[in-house]
Amino acid sequence: LRHDGEEVALFHPGLGAPLAAALLEEVIARGCNRFVMCGGAGVLDRAIARGHLLVPGAALRDEGTSYHYLPPSREVCASAEAVTAIEAVLAERGIAWLRTTTWTTDAFYRETPARIAARRAEGCLCVEMECAALFAVAQFRGVRLGALLSGGDDVSGAEWDARDWQAQPDVRARMIALAAEAVLRL
Protein backbone atom coordinates (compact mmCIF):
# COMPACT_ATOMS: atom_id res chain seq x y z
CA LEU A 1 0.00 0.00 0.00
CA ARG A 2 1.03 3.62 -0.37
CA HIS A 3 1.13 5.81 2.72
CA ASP A 4 2.18 9.45 2.46
CA GLY A 5 3.72 8.70 -0.94
CA GLU A 6 5.81 5.78 0.35
CA GLU A 7 5.34 2.10 -0.30
CA VAL A 8 4.63 -0.09 2.72
CA ALA A 9 4.20 -3.85 2.52
CA LEU A 10 1.18 -5.26 4.31
CA PHE A 11 0.88 -8.95 5.14
CA HIS A 12 -1.35 -11.07 7.34
CA PRO A 13 0.69 -13.43 9.55
CA GLY A 14 -2.19 -15.77 10.29
CA LEU A 15 -3.52 -16.85 13.66
CA GLY A 16 -1.22 -18.14 16.37
CA ALA A 17 2.46 -17.94 17.21
CA PRO A 18 3.87 -20.74 15.00
CA LEU A 19 2.31 -19.50 11.76
CA ALA A 20 3.01 -15.84 12.54
CA ALA A 21 6.66 -16.60 13.29
CA ALA A 22 7.07 -18.65 10.12
CA LEU A 23 5.58 -15.94 7.92
CA LEU A 24 7.68 -13.27 9.63
CA GLU A 25 10.75 -15.38 8.84
CA GLU A 26 9.67 -15.40 5.18
CA VAL A 27 9.31 -11.63 4.87
CA ILE A 28 12.59 -11.06 6.72
CA ALA A 29 14.26 -13.43 4.22
CA ARG A 30 12.78 -11.27 1.44
CA GLY A 31 14.54 -8.21 2.87
CA CYS A 32 12.04 -6.56 5.20
CA ASN A 33 13.56 -5.28 8.45
CA ARG A 34 11.05 -2.91 10.07
CA PHE A 35 7.65 -4.03 11.31
CA VAL A 36 4.63 -2.74 13.20
CA MET A 37 2.08 -5.49 13.66
CA CYS A 38 -1.48 -4.58 14.48
CA GLY A 39 -4.48 -6.58 15.59
CA GLY A 40 -7.05 -7.23 18.24
CA ALA A 41 -6.47 -8.52 21.74
CA GLY A 42 -8.68 -9.75 24.53
CA VAL A 43 -8.78 -7.33 27.45
CA LEU A 44 -8.14 -8.41 31.02
CA ASP A 45 -9.85 -5.32 32.42
CA ARG A 46 -13.47 -4.52 31.54
CA ALA A 47 -12.70 -0.78 31.80
CA ILE A 48 -10.63 -0.96 28.59
CA ALA A 49 -13.11 -0.03 25.88
CA ARG A 50 -13.56 -2.01 22.71
CA GLY A 51 -11.20 -0.46 20.18
CA HIS A 52 -9.00 1.32 22.73
CA LEU A 53 -5.37 1.13 21.61
CA LEU A 54 -2.70 -0.75 23.53
CA VAL A 55 1.05 -0.64 22.92
CA PRO A 56 2.89 -3.59 24.44
CA GLY A 57 6.45 -2.91 25.51
CA ALA A 58 6.81 -6.60 26.32
CA ALA A 59 4.99 -9.91 25.99
CA LEU A 60 4.67 -12.57 28.68
CA ARG A 61 5.83 -15.83 27.12
CA ASP A 62 3.09 -18.41 27.66
CA GLU A 63 3.42 -20.01 24.23
CA GLY A 64 6.02 -22.32 22.77
CA THR A 65 7.40 -20.69 19.63
CA SER A 66 9.47 -17.93 21.26
CA TYR A 67 11.53 -20.54 23.12
CA HIS A 68 12.92 -21.77 19.79
CA TYR A 69 14.45 -18.32 19.21
CA LEU A 70 15.56 -17.02 22.61
CA PRO A 71 16.68 -18.57 25.90
CA PRO A 72 13.92 -19.10 28.47
CA SER A 73 12.72 -15.97 30.27
CA ARG A 74 9.40 -14.74 31.61
CA GLU A 75 8.94 -12.10 28.94
CA VAL A 76 10.35 -10.76 25.69
CA CYS A 77 10.51 -7.08 24.77
CA ALA A 78 9.35 -5.32 21.66
CA SER A 79 11.92 -3.19 19.86
CA ALA A 80 12.32 -0.01 21.89
CA GLU A 81 12.65 1.99 18.66
CA ALA A 82 9.39 0.56 17.34
CA VAL A 83 7.53 1.30 20.58
CA THR A 84 8.86 4.88 20.50
CA ALA A 85 7.74 5.31 16.87
CA ILE A 86 4.26 3.94 17.57
CA GLU A 87 3.76 6.12 20.65
CA ALA A 88 5.05 9.22 18.81
CA VAL A 89 2.49 8.72 16.04
CA LEU A 90 -0.32 8.21 18.55
CA ALA A 91 0.71 11.29 20.56
CA GLU A 92 0.91 13.48 17.44
CA ARG A 93 -2.55 12.32 16.36
CA GLY A 94 -4.02 12.93 19.83
CA ILE A 95 -5.02 9.27 20.16
CA ALA A 96 -5.23 7.76 23.63
CA TRP A 97 -3.37 4.50 24.28
CA LEU A 98 -2.13 2.40 27.14
CA ARG A 99 1.41 1.02 27.39
CA THR A 100 1.24 -2.51 28.72
CA THR A 101 2.67 -5.97 28.86
CA THR A 102 0.62 -8.42 26.85
CA TRP A 103 0.06 -12.07 27.66
CA THR A 104 0.76 -14.34 24.69
CA THR A 105 -0.82 -17.77 24.97
CA ASP A 106 -1.56 -20.64 22.63
CA ALA A 107 -4.41 -21.93 24.79
CA PHE A 108 -7.30 -19.49 24.64
CA TYR A 109 -9.63 -21.99 26.28
CA ARG A 110 -7.28 -21.97 29.29
CA GLU A 111 -7.68 -18.25 29.98
CA THR A 112 -9.14 -19.16 33.37
CA PRO A 113 -10.09 -16.64 36.07
CA ALA A 114 -7.05 -17.67 38.15
CA ARG A 115 -4.67 -17.24 35.21
CA ILE A 116 -6.23 -13.93 34.25
CA ALA A 117 -5.80 -12.68 37.82
CA ALA A 118 -2.18 -13.86 37.83
CA ARG A 119 -1.43 -12.15 34.49
CA ARG A 120 -3.06 -8.92 35.68
CA ALA A 121 -0.89 -9.06 38.80
CA GLU A 122 2.11 -9.25 36.44
CA GLY A 123 1.02 -6.07 34.65
CA CYS A 124 -0.81 -7.52 31.63
CA LEU A 125 -3.84 -5.65 30.33
CA CYS A 126 -4.49 -7.89 27.33
CA VAL A 127 -4.05 -11.35 25.87
CA GLU A 128 -3.28 -12.43 22.31
CA MET A 129 -1.55 -15.27 20.47
CA GLU A 130 1.39 -13.84 18.50
CA CYS A 131 3.36 -11.01 20.14
CA ALA A 132 5.88 -13.05 22.16
CA ALA A 133 6.80 -15.14 19.13
CA LEU A 134 7.06 -12.13 16.82
CA PHE A 135 9.16 -10.17 19.32
CA ALA A 136 11.45 -13.20 19.73
CA VAL A 137 11.89 -13.75 15.98
CA ALA A 138 12.62 -10.04 15.53
CA GLN A 139 15.28 -10.08 18.25
CA PHE A 140 16.83 -13.27 16.90
CA ARG A 141 16.95 -11.92 13.34
CA GLY A 142 18.08 -8.42 14.35
CA VAL A 143 15.09 -6.53 12.96
CA ARG A 144 12.84 -3.95 14.59
CA LEU A 145 9.27 -4.90 15.46
CA GLY A 146 6.58 -3.36 17.64
CA ALA A 147 2.87 -3.96 18.11
CA LEU A 148 -0.28 -1.88 18.11
CA LEU A 149 -3.27 -3.72 19.55
CA SER A 150 -6.92 -2.75 19.98
CA GLY A 151 -9.13 -3.82 22.84
CA GLY A 152 -11.33 -6.63 21.62
CA ASP A 153 -13.30 -9.19 23.53
CA ASP A 154 -13.41 -9.04 27.33
CA VAL A 155 -12.09 -12.12 29.09
CA SER A 156 -11.92 -10.52 32.54
CA GLY A 157 -15.31 -11.64 33.85
CA ALA A 158 -16.80 -14.94 34.90
CA GLU A 159 -18.15 -15.28 31.35
CA TRP A 160 -16.59 -14.35 28.02
CA ASP A 161 -17.94 -11.15 26.49
CA ALA A 162 -17.33 -11.06 22.72
CA ARG A 163 -18.31 -7.35 22.60
CA ASP A 164 -18.75 -7.82 18.84
CA TRP A 165 -15.07 -6.85 18.61
CA GLN A 166 -14.50 -8.20 15.11
CA ALA A 167 -17.12 -5.87 13.64
CA GLN A 168 -14.89 -2.78 13.80
CA PRO A 169 -13.74 -2.02 10.23
CA ASP A 170 -13.09 1.63 11.11
CA VAL A 171 -10.75 0.65 13.98
CA ARG A 172 -8.89 -1.82 11.76
CA ALA A 173 -8.46 0.69 8.94
CA ARG A 174 -7.20 3.32 11.39
CA MET A 175 -4.75 0.85 12.93
CA ILE A 176 -3.31 -0.08 9.53
CA ALA A 177 -2.76 3.61 8.72
CA LEU A 178 -1.17 4.24 12.13
CA ALA A 179 1.05 1.16 11.78
CA ALA A 180 2.16 2.28 8.30
CA GLU A 181 3.03 5.74 9.61
CA ALA A 182 4.95 4.27 12.55
CA VAL A 183 6.91 1.79 10.44
CA LEU A 184 7.98 4.59 8.08
CA ARG A 185 9.47 6.40 11.10
CA LEU A 186 11.68 3.40 11.74
Side-chain angles (χ1 to χ4, degrees):
L1 62 90
R2 293 193 73 69
H3 184 81
D4 291 339
E6 303 241 12
E7 285 188 352
V8 177
L10 176 67
F11 80 98
H12 190 292
L15 178 65
L19 181 58
L23 292 176
L24 181 59
E25 287 271 25
E26 294 285 334
V27 295
I28 291 170
R30 292 176 184 266
C32 298
N33 59 19
R34 299 173 290 160
F35 304 90
V36 175
M37 63 92 52
C38 57
V43 297
L44 306 182
D45 180 345
R46 177 169 276 113
I48 299 171
R50 184 183 82 162
H52 191 84
L53 298 182
L54 305 159
V55 179
L60 206 94
R61 297 169 74 185
D62 194 17
E63 44 60 68
T65 305
S66 67
Y67 293 92
H68 293 278
Y69 289 90
L70 298 176
S73 64
R74 188 68 181 135
E75 62 184 36
V76 57
C77 292
S79 162
E81 293 168 316
V83 171
T84 297
I86 295 165
E87 291 182 336
V89 167
L90 296 175
E92 288 172 13
R93 298 275 179 251
I95 299 169
W97 79 92
L98 296 169
R99 168 83 74 91
T100 189
T101 298
T102 185
W103 168 28
T104 305
T105 182
D106 291 332
F108 48 85
Y109 289 122
R110 297 303 300 145
E111 294 166 358
T112 64
R115 287 185 182 167
I116 290 167
R119 298 299 93 80
R120 286 188 61 182
E122 291 179 272
C124 296
L125 295 178
C126 60
V127 59
E128 41 61 48
M129 297 179 67
E130 298 84 17
C131 282
L134 294 176
F135 294 169
V137 171
Q139 280 187 27
F140 183 80
R141 295 291 178 203
V143 300
R144 295 173 285 175
L145 186 144
L148 179 62
L149 304 173
S150 69
D153 56 333
D154 177 10
V155 301
S156 68
E159 293 186 22
W160 175 61
D161 182 358
R163 301 194 313 178
D164 200 23
W165 75 274
Q166 292 184 333
Q168 301 182 84
D170 55 327
V171 171
R172 289 173 185 221
R174 177 178 74 156
M175 287 179 64
I176 290 170
L178 293 168
E181 187 173 345
V183 82
L184 288 171
R185 286 179 185 240
L186 289 171

